[in-house]
Amino acid sequence: MQKIRAAVIQTVSSAHPESNIRTMRRLVRQAAEAGADWAVLPEYWPLMGHSDSDKLALAEPFGAGRFQTALAEAAAECRLILFGGTIPLQSGETGKVLNTLLTYGRGGELLGRYDKIHLFGYSGLGERYAEADTIQAGASVPQLAADGWKLAQGICYDLRFPEFFRAQSPFDALVLPAAFTYTTGKAHWELLLRARAVENQCYVLAAGQGGRHESGRRTFGHSMIIDPWGDILAVLPEGEGVITADLDPVRLSSVRTRMPALAHRVL
């Protein structure tokens, strides 16, 4: 297992897909210029619409479409592994899409797919979110490996379900695109991310949306890279940008050897 320079990309996506595609390409290039081997995009990077139903008209068939083409091209151009945030894919249910993380290799080839399983619902303080109204839940636990690293995958609200990640173990790094609201992010984002890193003794790469969007929605940002001891290696509080850190297999082994909690699991 080799040392990896990981980049986490934060956006403040608009309601204009073509503009968001240009921003995505620019930020992936910026990650590559920083020496990144991997880059992670946030949830909903192609569109933060004025309403939750806006994404229905943009849903692509799996394997074709401008979002998938742009991701494959960006990975190939920059010669890195690109964890493509989430894009809307067509589902088998009328009026609903799949919220999907696609991973592309250095030649632009598809390496993995995960359809979000846990769908966010929240009401309070003048806010209401119900992803189940427009998203069909995924049905299978993902599996993925890259450069000899075993990877867990989750999307945003999945973060609140530790058993979901235990079902993917063992793994060395957890990849999490997200668009946490400001309200829930301020309360729980860092707490949950560091908990997942510590309990799984893994690196965490969490890419968020981070700012005020055209709809008025505010996302929390604070995209982070966290090490297996729970230390935050890099963070971007708000606004678009790129953060990087090295994922070191020696550090990973050291944490797991000094405190072999994973080997001590009973249940």
Side-chain angles (χ1 to χ4, degrees):
M1 200 161 63
Q2 67 193 67
K3 182 181 287 189
I4 295 295
R5 172 63 58 87
V8 165
I9 294 170
Q10 184 164 287
T11 62
V12 187
S13 295
S14 72
H16 309 286
E18 292 304 322
S19 174
N20 295 329
I21 289 172
R22 289 192 295 271
T23 297
M24 180 275 290
R25 290 182 183 273
R26 173 172 52 82
L27 293 174
V28 172
R29 291 189 192 108
Q30 185 176 327
E33 290 165 1
D37 302 296
W38 300 352
V40 185
L41 288 163
E43 185 180 29
Y44 297 135
W45 69 262
L47 178 76
M48 289 290 285
H50 295 283
S51 71
D52 288 343
S53 61
D54 287 358
K55 58 184 173 288
L56 300 179
L58 301 177
E60 299 180 347
F62 179 48
R66 58 179 165 168
F67 301 142
Q68 292 167 84
T69 297
L71 289 170
E73 289 177 350
E77 175 193 339
C78 296
R79 302 299 299 171
L80 49 68
I81 292 177
L82 182 57
F83 302 89
T86 71
I87 65 170
L89 292 185
Q90 294 174 0
S91 76
E93 192 170 345
T94 301
K96 295 187 179 183
V97 302
L98 293 164
N99 189 18
T100 301
L101 165 59
L102 298 174
T103 300
Y104 292 89
R106 295 182 177 90
E109 72 281 11
L110 183 69
L111 298 181
R113 169 181 172 174
Y114 166 57
D115 302 324
K116 185 176 183 179
I117 287 179
H118 298 100
L119 303 182
F120 179 55
Y122 174 82
S123 61
L125 301 177
E127 298 177 283
R128 179 186 180 275
Y129 302 97
E131 287 189 328
D133 289 349
T134 55
I135 296 174
Q136 179 181 329
S140 59
V141 175
Q143 293 185 345
L144 186 64
D147 294 330
W149 290 70
K150 296 179 181 177
L151 303 174
Q153 301 167 83
I155 298 171
C156 202
Y157 194 49
D158 285 332
L159 180 61
R160 294 182 180 274
F161 301 89
E163 68 278 7
F164 172 67
F165 298 104
R166 287 296 199 194
Q168 300 178 58
S169 65
F171 55 86
D172 306 308
L174 189 163
V175 177
L176 188 101
F180 255 58
T181 70
Y182 185 83
T183 301
T184 59
K186 185 178 180 180
H188 301 142
W189 173 248
E190 180 182 327
L191 172 69
L192 290 168
L193 288 173
R194 295 182 71 192
R196 298 295 85 83
V198 169
E199 70 196 10
N200 294 293
Q201 297 183 315
C202 70
Y203 285 93
V204 171
L205 310 176
Q209 295 275 352
R212 183 77 66 177
H213 303 271
E214 292 175 26
S215 65
R217 176 176 175 176
R218 186 180 181 188
T219 45
F220 185 62
H222 291 79
S223 296
M224 293 184 187
I225 302 175
I226 304 172
D227 86 350
W229 194 246
D231 291 334
I232 298 172
L233 303 181
V235 60
L236 178 59
E238 282 195 303
E240 70 175 37
V242 179
I243 55 173
T244 62
D246 290 336
L247 313 187
D248 188 349
V250 174
R251 171 65 168 165
L252 185 72
S253 177
S254 175
V255 169
R256 291 178 171 182
T257 300
R258 286 184 290 123
M259 183 180 288
L262 295 176
H264 291 160
R265 286 179 59 197
V266 176
L267 300 177

